[in-house]
Amino acid sequence: MHRKFDRKWNISERLAVRKYIDDVNDELTDKIISYLKYMNSEDVMEILFYYKFDKISRGFGVYLQREIKELINKFHL
């Protein structure tokens, strides 16, 4: 799989970095990465390379829990 897709993945990665990291503010990028880090690698690949956005909902529960905890912590300070 690595041999077959490596070239395309490298090109895609470079384009993604240029578009979504270099062109976008750091706060938005951090939010996107923090959401994706709770998903397994297969789902991230399906979203990024095959545009199967139905996989996004799989990480939503953990993301929502983290956001609620951050909101509660803000009120306790």
Side-chain angles (χ1 to χ4, degrees):
M1 192 165 151
H2 181 60
R3 276 183 263 142
K4 182 175 180 175
F5 293 107
D6 188 50
R7 185 169 180 250
K8 289 181 181 180
W9 286 346
N10 286 334
I11 292 169
S12 178
E13 180 183 15
R14 281 185 264 141
L15 291 171
V17 166
R18 184 178 303 149
K19 177 63 182 163
Y20 297 109
I21 294 178
D22 294 343
D23 293 348
V24 179
N25 68 43
D26 290 337
E27 185 177 334
L28 178 59
T29 302
D30 290 344
K31 284 185 179 185
I32 293 168
I33 291 170
S34 70
Y35 180 76
L36 291 176
K37 74 180 179 182
Y38 294 105
M39 301 177 73
N40 66 43
S41 59
E42 291 84 16
D43 289 340
V44 173
M45 297 290 283
E46 293 284 323
I47 292 166
L48 296 178
F49 292 103
Y50 301 106
Y51 308 107
K52 294 185 178 179
F53 296 111
D54 58 316
K55 306 285 184 174
I56 290 174
S57 62
R58 292 187 180 176
F60 187 68
V62 177
Y63 172 78
L64 187 58
Q65 287 176 349
R66 192 191 76 234
E67 291 296 314
I68 290 171
K69 285 179 185 178
E70 287 180 14
L71 185 62
I72 291 170
N73 288 335
K74 285 181 184 179
F75 286 119
H76 283 129
L77 296 177

